[in-house]
Amino acid sequence: MKRLFGARARLRWIHLILGGALSMPYVLLGSVFVGPFMGNQNILTSTSLQFAAFGVALPMATLTAFFPLVSPLSVGAVRALCGVPREGLADGPARSGPARVRTAIWFTLHLGLGGIISGMTLAVPPFAGALIVLPLLTRLRDTPLALPEVFDHTWALALAPVAGVAILVALAACAALAGALLARWAPVLLGPTPADRLAAAERRAADLAVRNRLARELHDSVGHALSAVTLQAGAARRVLDSDVEFVREALTAIEETTRRTVGELDAVLGLLRHGEDSAGELPGPTLDVLDDLLARSGVKVAYAQDGDPAVRAPGPVSREAYRIVQEGLSNALRHGAAAPVSLRIALNGEELEIVMENPLPDRAPVVRPGGGRGLPGIAERATLLGGHAEAGPYGDVWRLTARLPVSGGGDAR
């Protein structure tokens, strides 16, 4: 009985009645066309005129279903009332020819079955109710209701309530069957096309790419700041009683580093709050402020540049180059402690080259939980710009090399 009178069955019944209500304007318009051919009969009193108008109404409904907005309205009704999973239905208006044809078939099917079930819902319950109460109201047999002669028999009157209940159950069964049929065909007729699925996959891939970029920004910015602050705080603690001036400089550097990092963190989180449409151009420092980074890095850096990369490198290339240098310094801080670092950035023709070297540690580096994303992140940044990066031991030093193409960098994300 749950399939006939449960919550889902009732919602699907409402969906069918909605289809019947939508079919009424078409039926009334159809009666205008077929009325003259049937003697201008009243549609409310002529069953034949009603069926004829209904037959004319369905083709007219099919034609109007080619409008693009019919698809999202139908999808909204199906999602709310038919219990069809969201991913099984297409979003947005139908734009391609095959999608509009399928929507037209669905709209016609919905209005056709809805009109039939709505008519049955209006006509059957009063008749079934009369059968149920017929044995109790003997006077009805003497009224001009044109009851069949069979009800003159006692056994017929005794079975009349059973017949009335059976008719109501049959009506519920017809509504449940029609509702299940529409729910089954909804993903077929209103489901996404291959082009829709491809577009959805592209949107998911773009969203994942944006999230990965934001995660990489947070990792590089916050990771470097924590490494630098940890090193500076440790150095200040060791000379706390002997070198007050050094401690003051270290605390100033820690304050500046944390303030700058909080600003970058707020900018990235702002992009997450406003959605991926705001994340086409990620905010961040460029090579223009590289000197400030080197001064606050917590490690001695011998820096040399060639070709004025801070001025000539396009914005996206300059931002990625800054992050690559920042991550290289973070790795040097983690694994090389306070060992000096040499950095060279050169703009050679159409390529920006970054070379960073620091002495290899005397002992194997400690791998921290959650680490290991720095070097892959550098490689990803270089690859996204059409370049490449590599890192590894080279003699007695650790060398990081990145080459970023300058041409076309202004369009890179």
Side-chain angles (χ1 to χ4, degrees), residues 91-305:
D91 292 318
R95 301 188 183 280
S96 63
R100 292 186 180 184
V101 170
R102 291 190 294 121
T103 301
I105 295 174
W106 164 264
F107 193 66
T108 306
L109 183 63
H110 181 205
L111 266 62
L113 290 177
I116 294 173
I117 297 299
S118 296
M120 294 173 61
T121 302
L122 291 174
V124 170
F127 177 70
L131 290 178
I132 293 174
V133 301
L134 185 61
L136 303 177
L137 302 176
T138 55
R139 293 182 180 180
L140 288 177
R141 286 173 289 175
D142 301 328
T143 59
L145 295 178
L147 293 176
E149 294 181 359
V150 68
F151 287 108
D152 294 334
H153 301 282
T154 304
W155 63 266
L157 288 176
L159 292 178
V162 178
V165 173
I167 291 174
L168 292 177
V169 173
L171 171 62
C174 291
L177 181 61
L181 179 65
L182 288 180
R184 181 176 181 180
W185 279 95
V188 178
L189 298 177
L190 297 177
T193 63
D196 294 332
R197 293 189 179 94
L198 179 59
E202 291 176 348
R203 288 193 298 269
R204 288 192 295 270
D207 180 67
L208 181 60
V210 169
R211 293 178 182 273
N212 286 338
R213 285 192 295 163
L214 294 176
R216 189 166 57 244
E217 291 294 319
L218 288 176
H219 171 270
D220 291 352
S221 177
V222 177
H224 171 76
L226 291 177
S227 298
V229 166
T230 300
L231 183 62
Q232 291 163 343
R237 178 181 55 81
R238 286 191 293 269
V239 298
L240 181 61
D241 298 326
S242 59
D243 194 342
V244 178
E245 185 62 27
F246 178 83
V247 173
R248 183 179 294 109
E249 293 177 358
L251 292 177
T252 301
I254 290 174
E255 180 183 4
E256 293 176 353
T257 300
T258 53
R259 183 183 295 112
R260 172 184 55 81
T261 305
V262 168
E264 295 180 8
L265 180 63
D266 287 341
V268 175
L269 294 180
L271 292 179
L272 287 174
R273 286 191 295 267
H274 289 89
E276 65 180 75
D277 292 338
S278 304
E281 285 289 340
L282 292 176
T286 63
L287 293 178
D288 295 334
V289 293
L290 182 62
D291 292 337
D292 185 46
L293 172 67
L294 300 180
R296 294 180 284 97
S297 62
V299 64
K300 294 180 180 180
V301 181
Y303 174 47
Q305 64 175 354

Side-chain angles (χ1 to χ4, degrees), residues 335-336 358-363 392-399:
H335 307 312
N358 61 279
L360 289 172
D362 296 332
R363 56 187 177 86
Y394 187 81
D396 59 349
V397 300
W398 179 273
R399 174 177 291 180

Side-chain angles (χ1 to χ4, degrees), residues 350-365:
E350 298 298 322
E351 186 178 70
L352 180 69
E353 183 182 32
I354 303 172
V355 180
M356 181 180 295
E357 295 180 349
N358 61 279
L360 289 172
D362 296 332
R363 56 187 177 86

